[in-house]
Amino acid sequence: MTAEFLLRLLERVHGHLGWLAVVALIHPALLLRNPKRRAPLAILLTALAVTAAGALGAWIYPDYRVLVKPLIFQDAPAVGWWFERKEHLAVGAISLTWIGALAHLGQPRCPPEQRPALARIAHRASLIALLLAAAVAAIGTAVASYRSF
């Protein structure tokens, strides 16, 4: 197994995990519309899925930056800039996923009068994370269609 083959494989796994994370984020975005609904395991597993997709992307990024990114910017700078946006949106999606998860998981530990506010934060953060993750996955697919390892 060559290094290039491994990078190509990890890149594809990262892309598939990204789309699976988008699908997983649909669950909390819908489930948490009801502020009284409790689903700590589902929320935690979703956050772990989103984090795993991001962590794999961060792991392959140094090689991507050296081997692929310069060629994209050389041939199609607009595609390269879309990839740059994707990175920032991904950080936002991961952050908001965890904000939503922590707000949801923290509700039972806070005073009852604060729980509705945390429920709103959990739902809104999950919904925005879903939208950002969908944009990240779509942009990532478009960039990978243009050039990959």
Side-chain angles (χ1 to χ4, degrees), residues 17-77:
L17 277 177
W19 279 108
L20 288 172
V22 171
V23 171
L25 279 163
I26 294 170
H27 192 242
L30 293 175
L31 194 68
L32 299 181
R33 289 179 301 164
N34 178 351
K36 296 182 194 274
R37 185 71 189 256
R38 304 293 307 144
L41 183 60
I43 303 306
L44 185 59
L45 290 174
T46 297
L48 291 174
V50 171
T51 303
L56 183 54
W59 192 42
I60 63 174
Y61 181 75
D63 291 312
Y64 187 89
R65 186 183 67 233
V66 171
L67 300 172
V68 180
K69 194 172 170 181
L71 298 174
I72 293 175
F73 270 101
Q74 179 182 346
D75 296 340

